[in-house]
Amino acid sequence: MIIVDAHSHLWLTQNTEVDGMPIYSMENGRSMFFGQEVQMLPPFMTDSRNTAEIFISNMNYAQVSAAVVVQEFIDGIQNGYLAEVKRKFPDRFKVCAMFDYRHDGFIPEAGKLISNGIFDGVAIPGHRLGRPLNGSEMMEMFALMEEKGLFLSLCLHEDCHQIPEVEDIISNFPHLRIAIGHFGMVTTADWMKQINLARHENVSIECGGITWLFNSEFYPFNGAVEAIRKAADEVGIKKLMWGSDYPRTITAITYRMSYDFILKSELLSGEEKELFLGKNAAEFYNFKNLAELPYIKNMSE
């Protein structure tokens, strides 16, 4: 089975500020996060560097052929590093650029990086934006993305106030591929309103962070599988994609565990699992030359 991760993160160091609060890397995989020391990475990442090489090692072990690397304001803008990652590992990663949409004047940089042929998409952490998604500079950027064939990775606020803005974007740019993240903030009351955006031809849904959202339930995340089943019945399994939200989610579980609970479930058929775990993402993100990875037996088996 080909497996593709539609939602992951990479960085060399965190050093940024969100809502006036500093966020920065510490030792042993920990970060200062909104005034609290948290385990941002697994503790064996002692230098707190979340690199592509470590991720590829995890991917090879878990038999994940390729991954989409998105960005989030809490990690700081990582355009320079992700451009390096794409040059070094072009068949393993699709990478997203990100800009500081919270302030006016980002469009010159956005235009330059969207046109340089390195980045595959643009990430917008809309849940942290604090301003309209369909503002004038945003719409100018979406027009260029549609022209150049880049996709949009978009996470939305759980209160659904941004859905009319997304509908406006969709109506203006019907050929702009849009992936809605975090499975519509699945554990909140109105999550199906985000899922239903996938009724549009150019919109799909990815489940990055679903194990985080169902963390209180924990493995084997039966509620998460039930939500996937519900969404598939609503918009069709071909509109849904697996994502891990690596590396934050693997502080609680292993990388392989972030998808094998789906493999073990009886709520999805074999064909549905193949589509959800890899085939849909391979098509949506235009992956080519996907690696076929052998199973490596654990010493403890």
Side-chain angles (χ1 to χ4, degrees):
M1 183 183 297
I2 292 294
I3 302 176
V4 175
D5 189 341
H7 188 122
S8 66
H9 301 272
L10 293 173
W11 63 82
L12 291 182
T13 186
Q14 289 178 310
N15 184 16
T16 189
E17 182 178 295
V18 177
D19 297 332
M21 298 288 286
I23 299 171
Y24 54 88
S25 298
M26 302 170 69
E27 294 181 340
N28 302 320
R30 297 179 181 179
S31 292
M32 184 58 61
F33 184 69
F34 294 115
Q36 181 181 17
E37 185 175 335
V38 301
Q39 194 71 47
M40 185 69 66
L41 301 171
F44 53 77
M45 294 184 182
T46 55
D47 62 0
S48 296
R49 287 164 56 93
N50 173 31
T51 66
E53 287 79 6
I54 291 176
F55 190 20
I56 287 175
S57 181
N58 272 284
M59 290 166 65
N60 290 347
Y61 170 73
Q63 297 175 280
V64 175
S65 296
V68 179
V69 184
V70 303
Q71 295 200 54
E72 231 274 31
F73 290 140
I74 62 173
D75 302 324
I77 294 174
Q78 302 290 331
N79 293 336
Y81 180 55
L82 294 189
E84 176 186 333
V85 167
K86 184 58 187 288
R87 292 188 188 100
K88 194 171 182 180
F89 307 106
D91 293 333
R92 300 303 297 271
F93 297 114
K94 299 286 186 179
V95 299
C96 291
M98 186 177 73
F99 313 102
D100 195 351
Y101 323 102
R102 298 165 295 184
H103 306 285
D104 294 335
F106 66 84
I107 198 65
E109 181 188 9
K112 179 180 178 181
L113 292 191
I114 288 169
S115 300
N116 70 7
I118 295 174
F119 291 94
D120 306 286
V122 171
I124 300 180
H127 56 308
R128 301 190 195 275
L129 192 58
R131 62 192 316 196
L133 285 164
N134 57 347
S136 59
E137 277 195 297
M138 286 290 205
M139 298 298 266
E140 183 177 349
M141 181 179 72
F142 297 143
L144 183 59
M145 291 170 61
E146 185 181 53
E147 176 188 340
K148 298 296 184 180
L150 275 67
F151 64 83
L152 171 62
S153 172
L154 178 62
C155 293
L156 300 176
H157 198 280
E158 64 186 55
D159 69 5
C160 296
H161 77 273
Q162 294 167 312
I163 287 180
E165 299 169 9
V166 179
E167 295 276 9
D168 185 37
I169 295 166
I170 293 168
S171 65
N172 279 277
F173 308 106
H175 302 295
L176 174 64
R177 289 171 291 148
I178 301 174
I180 305 296
H182 295 163
F183 218 63
M185 294 302 292
V186 59
T187 51
T188 61
D190 292 326
W191 68 282
M192 285 300 295
K193 292 181 180 179
Q194 292 194 36
I195 300 299
N196 277 313
L197 288 168
R199 294 184 182 279
H200 295 280
E201 184 177 356
N202 58 323
V203 180
S204 289
I205 308 293
E206 46 93 342
C207 78
I210 199 168
T211 60
W212 150 61
L213 290 162
F214 282 93
N215 183 65
S216 61
E217 177 186 286
F218 207 64
Y219 193 90
F221 306 107
N222 292 326
V225 183
E226 291 169 2
I228 294 166
R229 176 75 272 162
K230 181 176 181 179
D233 291 341
E234 186 76 10
V235 299
I237 192 68
K238 290 187 176 181
K239 285 290 191 163
L240 309 178
M241 304 179 291
W242 171 69
S244 69
D245 210 4
Y246 175 99
R248 282 181 269 271
T249 49
I250 66 165
T251 58
I253 58 175
T254 68
Y255 187 46
R256 185 187 292 274
M257 288 169 69
S258 66
Y259 74 80
D260 74 356
F261 71 95
I262 297 167
L263 285 177
K264 294 171 180 174
S265 173
E266 296 181 356
L267 291 182
L268 299 172
S269 71
E271 181 183 6
E272 288 174 322
K273 291 171 184 177
E274 288 188 356
L275 290 167
F276 181 74
L277 290 174
K279 286 185 176 179
N280 292 341
E283 180 178 354
F284 182 89
Y285 296 106
N286 294 327
F287 276 105
K288 308 294 183 185
N289 305 315
L290 286 170
E292 295 185 17
L293 301 168
Y295 176 75
I296 303 299
K297 182 180 177 180
N298 288 327
M299 179 183 172
S300 58
E301 288 183 67

